[in-house]
């Protein structure tokens, strides 16, 4: 599904929430499956969805888009402060043009990409993904982007590349949260190469049909829907291909609490709280958390045979 590139989107053309609701109905009837997993184009790319568990079907049927207002005002982006409201208050200071993404390490084509050249690589698709935060809340968001694999293919990883690390901008002048050592800046995240190449892994430029708001990780971020939200790194300036598994920011901060994989798993609790249930933002009741955040059919095979208690 083609959505114009964010710089072309006029404010007057912003799709309002009602249209998204109608589109969800369309997706539901066109595919015979519940909306919320992915758009038809993504489903086609991943093969027909297999029969889901009853609980999963029920939970997915209840997926309603989280209002734009909540998506853009209840954020985790520690570069702008630790309060959920800080990013929307302070991220206005982030300059998103010019913006470059440096590619380095185990690739045949290292280099510096202008963000607008990255945007031209592939048409933007809309994908409705659940985002499940490690803090046990979740949202359902219509994102715009294309599979990260489209970008990775262009830079041609060498046969030694087994992992990819991503880095957020480090600039305390623009990011007031970085003036304090809340985390070991810059924020770093990592994926195994097969996870990075998985079609669901989204290189993201927009949400709700608009350019990504700064507080949501403008101008370019990842969204990896089967992993806890902290893997979905924002405002990326560097991508490094590696032979060895990198250490991600939260793992460096508290290795006992946050692992490298961070796959959503209701059966493995965080040492300080349960991960069995979650609260959808805007709702009061809690709902069961789904294995791999409901994307088990698409991604489970990548972890076959792995001890998910040890590789959390
Ligand atoms: N990326 C950076 N650079 N800094 C952060 O603090 N927070 C992560 C992730 N990406 C974070 C980040 C966490 S914990 C979550 S839950 C999601 O961003 C939140 O994304 P959202 O604010 O768009 O919902």
């Amino acid at each position: 599904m083609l959505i114009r590139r964010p710089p072309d989107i006029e404010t007057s053309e912003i799709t309002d929430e009602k249209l998204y609701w109608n589109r969800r109905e369309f997706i539901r009837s066109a595919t015979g499956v519940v909306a919320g997993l992915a758009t038809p184009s993504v489903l086609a790319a991943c093969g027909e969805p297999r029969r889901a568990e009853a609980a999963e079907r029920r939970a997915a049927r209840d997926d309603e888009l989280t209002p734009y207002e909540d998506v853009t005002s209840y954020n985790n982006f520690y570069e702008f402060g630790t309060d959920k409201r800080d990013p929307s208050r302070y991220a206005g200071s982030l300059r998103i043009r010019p913006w470059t993404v440096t590619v380095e390490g185990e690739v045949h084509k290292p280099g510096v990409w202008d963000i607008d050249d990255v945007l031209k690589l592939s048409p933007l698709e809309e994908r409705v993904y659940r985002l499940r935060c490690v803090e046990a809340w979740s949202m359902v968001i219509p994102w715009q982007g294309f599979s990260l694999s489209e970008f990775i293919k262009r830079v041609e990883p060498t046969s030694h590349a087994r992992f990819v690390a991503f880095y957020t901008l480090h600039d305390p002048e623009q990011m007031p949260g970085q003036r304090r050592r809340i985390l070991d800046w810059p924020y770093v995240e990592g994926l195994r190469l097969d996870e990075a190449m998985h079609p669901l892994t989204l290189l993201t430029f927009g949400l709700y049909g608009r350019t990504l708001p700064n507080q949501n990780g403008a101008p370019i971020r990842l969204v990896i829907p089967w992993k806890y939200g902290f893997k979905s790194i924002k405002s990326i300036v560097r991508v490094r291909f590696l032979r060895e598994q990198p250490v991600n920011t939260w793992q460096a901060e508290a290795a006992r609490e946050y692992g490298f994989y961070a796959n959503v798993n209701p059966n493995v609790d965080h040492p300080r709280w349960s991960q069995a249930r979650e609260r959808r933002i805007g709702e009061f009741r809690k709902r069961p958390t789904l294995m791999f955040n409901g994307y088990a059919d698409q991604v489970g095979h990548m972890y076959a045979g792995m001890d998910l208690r040890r590789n959390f």
Side-chain angles (χ1 to χ4, degrees):
M1 185 182 313
L2 177 77
I3 306 274
R4 271 166 296 165
R5 286 194 292 281
D8 302 340
I9 298 172
E10 299 287 335
T11 319
S12 59
E13 296 176 37
I14 288 165
T15 312
D16 78 17
E17 250 176 78
K18 272 196 223 89
L19 255 168
Y20 277 89
W21 281 91
N22 293 342
R23 189 175 304 160
R24 285 181 77 242
E25 288 309 314
F26 167 75
I27 291 169
R28 193 193 299 262
S29 54
T31 62
V33 297
V34 288
L37 283 176
T39 59
S41 56
V42 180
L43 290 173
C46 304
E48 285 299 306
R50 270 173 274 140
R51 229 178 318 141
E53 296 293 322
E56 190 163 315
R57 271 207 306 270
R58 226 178 11 253
R61 193 187 55 213
D62 291 345
D63 270 352
E64 291 176 2
L65 295 182
T66 305
Y68 180 83
E69 185 54 34
D70 292 335
V71 172
T72 55
S73 64
Y74 188 87
N75 300 102
N76 274 343
F77 199 171
Y78 278 21
E79 285 82 344
F80 295 100
T82 53
D83 188 279
K84 294 284 181 284
R85 304 276 160 192
D86 285 344
S88 56
R89 277 192 204 121
Y90 304 124
S93 55
L94 179 66
R95 292 187 297 274
I96 56 169
R97 290 292 188 286
W99 190 277
T100 57
V101 179
T102 299
V103 177
E104 58 193 21
E106 290 290 349
V107 277
H108 292 296
K109 294 188 172 166
V112 179
W113 285 72
D114 187 281
I115 180 78
D116 292 313
D117 292 329
V118 180
L119 266 162
K120 282 182 206 140
L121 284 178
S122 188
L124 300 193
E125 298 166 18
E126 176 179 285
R127 304 217 192 144
V128 178
Y129 280 164
R130 293 185 282 274
L131 183 85
R132 166 59 158 84
C133 185
V134 74
E135 297 162 330
W137 50 262
S138 60
M139 299 195 192
V140 183
I141 302 172
W143 303 100
Q144 280 80 38
F146 51 76
S147 293
L148 173 65
S149 63
E150 296 294 332
F151 181 61
I152 293 181
K153 277 186 243 160
R154 305 298 170 115
V155 300
E156 297 178 13
T158 71
S159 57
H160 300 298
R162 291 179 55 233
F163 296 91
V164 198
F166 304 85
Y167 298 81
T168 295
L169 177 71
H170 186 199
D171 183 351
E173 186 228 322
Q174 296 187 62
M175 297 179 140
Q178 289 180 337
R179 292 174 207 158
R180 292 189 293 139
R181 205 210 151 277
I182 304 165
L183 295 172
D184 188 13
W185 313 112
Y187 195 98
V188 185
E189 257 311 335
L191 293 172
R192 228 168 49 192
L193 189 58
D194 60 331
E195 298 177 319
M197 292 297 288
H198 192 285
L200 286 184
T201 300
L202 193 68
L203 195 57
T204 308
F205 306 91
L207 59 81
Y208 263 110
R210 310 184 194 192
T211 303
L212 267 183
N214 288 1
Q215 60 268 35
N216 293 94
I220 179 171
R221 70 174 293 176
L222 292 186
V223 181
I224 310 146
W226 70 96
K227 293 180 178 284
Y228 290 118
F230 69 84
K231 300 293 289 182
S232 293
I233 184 171
K234 297 175 168 181
S235 305
I236 298 167
V237 292
R238 188 175 297 275
V239 182
R240 187 178 292 162
F241 290 78
L242 300 162
R243 295 175 184 224
E244 307 294 336
Q245 185 172 305
V247 176
N248 49 312
T249 291
W250 282 104
Q251 198 184 9
E253 221 48 49
R256 229 175 58 78
E257 303 192 1
Y258 308 102
F260 173 79
Y261 282 95
N263 292 319
V264 174
N265 188 341
N267 309 314
V268 178
D269 287 337
H270 184 279
R272 289 185 282 137
W273 61 82
S274 164
Q275 293 291 22
R277 295 165 73 73
E278 68 199 57
R279 194 175 72 82
R280 196 52 63 76
I281 295 301
E283 294 179 357
F284 290 107
R285 72 189 169 91
K286 289 197 172 172
R287 57 175 71 216
T289 286
L290 305 176
M291 188 64 202
F292 296 114
N293 203 22
Y295 302 90
D297 279 354
Q298 290 104 316
V299 302
H301 64 92
M302 289 193 288
Y303 311 101
M306 275 175 70
D307 180 348
L308 298 181
R309 287 194 176 275
R310 289 189 55 203
N311 297 288
F312 59 95

